[in-house]
PDB file of all heavy atoms in Angstrom:
ATOM      1  N   SER A 157       4.027 -51.321   9.626  1.00 94.00           N
ATOM      2  CA  SER A 157       2.878 -51.178   8.736  1.00 94.00           C
ATOM      3  C   SER A 157       1.602 -50.935   9.511  1.00 94.00           C
ATOM      4  O   SER A 157       0.750 -50.076   9.099  1.00 94.00           O
ATOM      5  CB  SER A 157       2.745 -52.419   7.850  1.00 94.00           C
ATOM      6  OG  SER A 157       3.879 -52.628   7.077  1.00 94.00           O
ATOM      7  N   LEU A 158       1.441 -51.635  10.606  1.00 91.00           N
ATOM      8  CA  LEU A 158       0.261 -51.432  11.460  1.00 91.00           C
ATOM      9  C   LEU A 158       0.262 -49.987  11.989  1.00 91.00           C
ATOM     10  O   LEU A 158      -0.773 -49.339  12.111  1.00 91.00           O
ATOM     11  CB  LEU A 158       0.233 -52.440  12.606  1.00 91.00           C
ATOM     12  CG  LEU A 158      -0.921 -52.329  13.608  1.00 91.00           C
ATOM     13  CD1 LEU A 158      -2.228 -52.525  12.873  1.00 91.00           C
ATOM     14  CD2 LEU A 158      -0.748 -53.375  14.715  1.00 91.00           C
ATOM     15  N   VAL A 159       1.463 -49.499  12.463  1.00 91.00           N
ATOM     16  CA  VAL A 159       1.541 -48.156  12.945  1.00 91.00           C
ATOM     17  C   VAL A 159       1.141 -47.106  11.930  1.00 91.00           C
ATOM     18  O   VAL A 159       0.370 -46.223  12.163  1.00 91.00           O
ATOM     19  CB  VAL A 159       2.969 -47.857  13.491  1.00 91.00           C
ATOM     20  CG1 VAL A 159       3.167 -46.327  13.753  1.00 91.00           C
ATOM     21  CG2 VAL A 159       3.214 -48.664  14.727  1.00 91.00           C
ATOM     22  N   LEU A 160       1.628 -47.325  10.679  1.00 92.00           N
ATOM     23  CA  LEU A 160       1.276 -46.416   9.554  1.00 92.00           C
ATOM     24  C   LEU A 160      -0.224 -46.420   9.320  1.00 92.00           C
ATOM     25  O   LEU A 160      -0.894 -45.398   9.082  1.00 92.00           O
ATOM     26  CB  LEU A 160       2.034 -46.827   8.315  1.00 92.00           C
ATOM     27  CG  LEU A 160       3.509 -46.485   8.279  1.00 92.00           C
ATOM     28  CD1 LEU A 160       4.122 -46.982   6.991  1.00 92.00           C
ATOM     29  CD2 LEU A 160       3.730 -44.997   8.373  1.00 92.00           C
ATOM     30  N   TYR A 161      -0.841 -47.671   9.327  1.00 91.00           N
ATOM     31  CA  TYR A 161      -2.280 -47.748   9.138  1.00 91.00           C
ATOM     32  C   TYR A 161      -3.029 -47.032  10.234  1.00 91.00           C
ATOM     33  O   TYR A 161      -4.023 -46.341   9.955  1.00 91.00           O
ATOM     34  CB  TYR A 161      -2.692 -49.252   9.075  1.00 91.00           C
ATOM     35  CG  TYR A 161      -4.166 -49.481   9.025  1.00 91.00           C
ATOM     36  CD1 TYR A 161      -4.916 -49.256   7.804  1.00 91.00           C
ATOM     37  CD2 TYR A 161      -4.884 -49.800  10.183  1.00 91.00           C
ATOM     38  CE1 TYR A 161      -6.230 -49.429   7.750  1.00 91.00           C
ATOM     39  CE2 TYR A 161      -6.279 -49.984  10.112  1.00 91.00           C
ATOM     40  CZ  TYR A 161      -6.979 -49.767   8.957  1.00 91.00           C
ATOM     41  OH  TYR A 161      -8.295 -49.948   8.892  1.00 91.00           O
ATOM     42  N   LEU A 162      -2.617 -47.212  11.466  1.00 90.00           N
ATOM     43  CA  LEU A 162      -3.314 -46.589  12.590  1.00 90.00           C
ATOM     44  C   LEU A 162      -3.238 -45.085  12.540  1.00 90.00           C
ATOM     45  O   LEU A 162      -4.198 -44.369  12.860  1.00 90.00           O
ATOM     46  CB  LEU A 162      -2.752 -47.059  13.944  1.00 90.00           C
ATOM     47  CG  LEU A 162      -2.947 -48.584  14.249  1.00 90.00           C
ATOM     48  CD1 LEU A 162      -2.258 -48.927  15.578  1.00 90.00           C
ATOM     49  CD2 LEU A 162      -4.419 -48.888  14.344  1.00 90.00           C
ATOM     50  N   ILE A 163      -2.092 -44.570  12.117  1.00 90.00           N
ATOM     51  CA  ILE A 163      -1.877 -43.096  12.022  1.00 90.00           C
ATOM     52  C   ILE A 163      -2.726 -42.543  10.890  1.00 90.00           C
ATOM     53  O   ILE A 163      -3.467 -41.534  11.106  1.00 90.00           O
ATOM     54  CB  ILE A 163      -0.388 -42.767  11.810  1.00 90.00           C
ATOM     55  CG1 ILE A 163       0.398 -43.108  13.102  1.00 90.00           C
ATOM     56  CG2 ILE A 163      -0.246 -41.256  11.461  1.00 90.00           C
ATOM     57  CD1 ILE A 163       1.846 -42.884  12.961  1.00 90.00           C
ATOM     58  N   PHE A 164      -2.646 -43.101   9.695  1.00 88.00           N
ATOM     59  CA  PHE A 164      -3.337 -42.458   8.561  1.00 88.00           C
ATOM     60  C   PHE A 164      -4.837 -42.863   8.456  1.00 88.00           C
ATOM     61  O   PHE A 164      -5.546 -42.260   7.619  1.00 88.00           O
ATOM     62  CB  PHE A 164      -2.615 -42.848   7.268  1.00 88.00           C
ATOM     63  CG  PHE A 164      -1.267 -42.107   7.109  1.00 88.00           C
ATOM     64  CD1 PHE A 164      -0.124 -42.749   7.437  1.00 88.00           C
ATOM     65  CD2 PHE A 164      -1.238 -40.784   6.669  1.00 88.00           C
ATOM     66  CE1 PHE A 164       1.090 -42.067   7.336  1.00 88.00           C
ATOM     67  CE2 PHE A 164      -0.023 -40.107   6.555  1.00 88.00           C
ATOM     68  CZ  PHE A 164       1.141 -40.758   6.864  1.00 88.00           C
ATOM     69  N   SER A 165      -5.304 -43.793   9.218  1.00 87.00           N
ATOM     70  CA  SER A 165      -6.680 -44.121   9.202  1.00 87.00           C
ATOM     71  C   SER A 165      -7.460 -43.268  10.155  1.00 87.00           C
ATOM     72  O   SER A 165      -8.740 -43.310  10.120  1.00 87.00           O
ATOM     73  CB  SER A 165      -6.915 -45.626   9.573  1.00 87.00           C
ATOM     74  OG  SER A 165      -6.476 -45.908  10.877  1.00 87.00           O
ATOM     75  N   SER A 166      -6.829 -42.472  10.985  1.00 83.00           N
ATOM     76  CA  SER A 166      -7.510 -41.651  11.945  1.00 83.00           C
ATOM     77  C   SER A 166      -7.194 -40.151  11.638  1.00 83.00           C
ATOM     78  O   SER A 166      -5.979 -39.778  11.606  1.00 83.00           O
ATOM     79  CB  SER A 166      -7.071 -41.932  13.380  1.00 83.00           C
ATOM     80  OG  SER A 166      -7.567 -41.031  14.311  1.00 83.00           O
ATOM     81  N   PRO A 167      -8.200 -39.342  11.327  1.00 80.00           N
ATOM     82  CA  PRO A 167      -7.983 -37.920  11.047  1.00 80.00           C
ATOM     83  C   PRO A 167      -7.304 -37.213  12.230  1.00 80.00           C
ATOM     84  O   PRO A 167      -6.607 -36.216  12.049  1.00 80.00           O
ATOM     85  CB  PRO A 167      -9.341 -37.364  10.805  1.00 80.00           C
ATOM     86  CG  PRO A 167     -10.188 -38.584  10.400  1.00 80.00           C
ATOM     87  CD  PRO A 167      -9.624 -39.679  11.155  1.00 80.00           C
ATOM     88  N   GLY A 168      -7.545 -37.676  13.441  1.00 79.00           N
ATOM     89  CA  GLY A 168      -6.986 -37.007  14.603  1.00 79.00           C
ATOM     90  C   GLY A 168      -5.463 -37.174  14.717  1.00 79.00           C
ATOM     91  O   GLY A 168      -4.838 -36.379  15.417  1.00 79.00           O
TER      92      GLY A 168
END
Side-chain angles (χ1 to χ4, degrees):
S157 298
L158 179 61
V159 169
L160 288 176
Y161 173 77
L162 294 177
I163 290 176
F164 287 98
S165 63
S166 174

